[in-house]
Amino acid sequence: SRPIWLTRAGAGAPESKGSDGSDRTSSLSKQGQQFAQRLANFVKTRAGCYWERSRKPEEATQVFTSTMPRAVSSALCVDLQPDQQSALNPIDKGVLGVGWWDVECEDDVPPWNEMKKRHPDLFQEFEVDPLNWQFPGGERYVDMVKRLESVLIDVEMCTHPVLIVSHITTLQVLLSYFKGLPLEEAWKLSLPKDVVVEVSPTEGGGFLTQDYNLASSGGYVVDAERPLA
């Protein structure tokens, strides 16, 4: 079955942040540009393997990104115009996180520990009902789930490989869906930078996942903990 690739947008350039310190409009750093090129090479190689195995006429990979510049630029090296969808934008945190939670999270998960330290009462409320707790002036995880439904419909209708370049909170929801995990646990999922999660539909209606680490310019390393059938 045709693969679906999920990955976080490449690293941003600190000097391109907005006047308010937000990185929502930031462009790729040199490191981010290098990742974009490695991502393009990865997609070309893996898509070629798929078409060779399937013995079908080769078609272009469908590319979906958020509307944020880093995500769009991360996909441009694939030589296909990405379908920019606001549904793939990260969760709206409202007034929370100014100065310490940018769109581009440094770690493999959102900065929950920092939230717990700075806003222990809010974090306690969040832990009780993470799916329905609302960021002050912002969204709930369940709001992301609803807006991502249209993306999932588009993805599942595709008969050729799909690349999704987005951000950690949205990708947590998508990965929960593909792995069949409770959406209430999505916020805990780890999604490292420079890693591509390859999702392959199975005949039984489920999905298998495998991680590829693109951090090295010498190629990519497979995370063997999630074997692909």
Side-chain angles (χ1 to χ4, degrees), residues 46-74:
R46 295 299 296 163
C49 291
Y50 164 72
W51 291 114
E52 185 176 349
R53 288 196 312 269
S54 68
R55 297 181 180 177
K56 298 177 182 177
E58 188 167 341
E59 299 179 51
T61 296
Q62 176 67 55
V63 182
F64 296 101
T65 72
S66 74
T67 62
M68 295 188 176
R70 281 192 306 111
V72 177
S73 297
S74 296

Side-chain angles (χ1 to χ4, degrees), residues 3-175:
I4 302 161
W5 299 297
L6 310 176
T7 192
R8 293 169 61 178
E15 64 273 13
S16 65
K17 286 187 176 183
S19 57
D20 60 350
S22 170
D23 67 345
R24 282 183 166 267
T25 59
S26 65
S27 55
L28 289 178
S29 64
K30 183 178 180 180
Q31 178 186 353
Q33 293 169 9
Q34 292 170 342
F35 168 73
Q37 188 57 63
R38 291 197 295 270
L39 177 63
N41 294 338
F42 169 84
V43 169
K44 182 178 180 180
T45 299
R46 295 299 296 163
C49 291
Y50 164 72
W51 291 114
E52 185 176 349
R53 288 196 312 269
S54 68
R55 297 181 180 177
K56 298 177 182 177
E58 188 167 341
E59 299 179 51
T61 296
Q62 176 67 55
V63 182
F64 296 101
T65 72
S66 74
T67 62
M68 295 188 176
R70 281 192 306 111
V72 177
S73 297
S74 296
L76 287 180
C77 290
V78 182
D79 294 330
L80 296 166
Q81 191 61 35
D83 182 350
Q84 301 178 41
Q85 299 206 11
S86 58
L88 285 167
N89 288 349
I91 196 167
D92 182 350
K93 304 185 302 298
V95 299
L96 192 72
V98 177
W100 57 272
W101 184 348
D102 284 331
V103 173
E104 182 183 0
C105 299
E106 291 301 318
D107 295 324
D108 298 351
V109 294
W112 302 124
N113 288 336
E114 189 67 19
M115 179 179 169
K116 186 176 182 179
K117 186 192 309 179
R118 290 173 178 263
H119 305 284
D121 294 342
L122 292 181
F123 184 74
Q124 187 174 26
E125 292 175 8
F126 171 76
E127 276 192 306
V128 171
D129 190 1
L131 199 57
N132 293 294
W133 183 83
Q134 185 169 11
F135 283 85
E139 289 185 298
R140 305 167 297 169
Y141 259 81
V142 73
D143 296 321
M144 276 199 305
V145 172
K146 291 176 181 177
R147 60 177 161 93
L148 285 168
E149 287 176 356
S150 61
V151 176
L152 286 168
I153 291 172
D154 289 343
V155 168
E156 295 207 12
M157 286 180 64
C158 285
T159 57
H160 42 278
V162 174
L163 169 66
I164 298 175
V165 183
S166 187
H167 311 276
I168 192 165
T169 50
T170 39
L171 291 173
Q172 284 179 321
V173 171
L174 291 175
L175 192 56

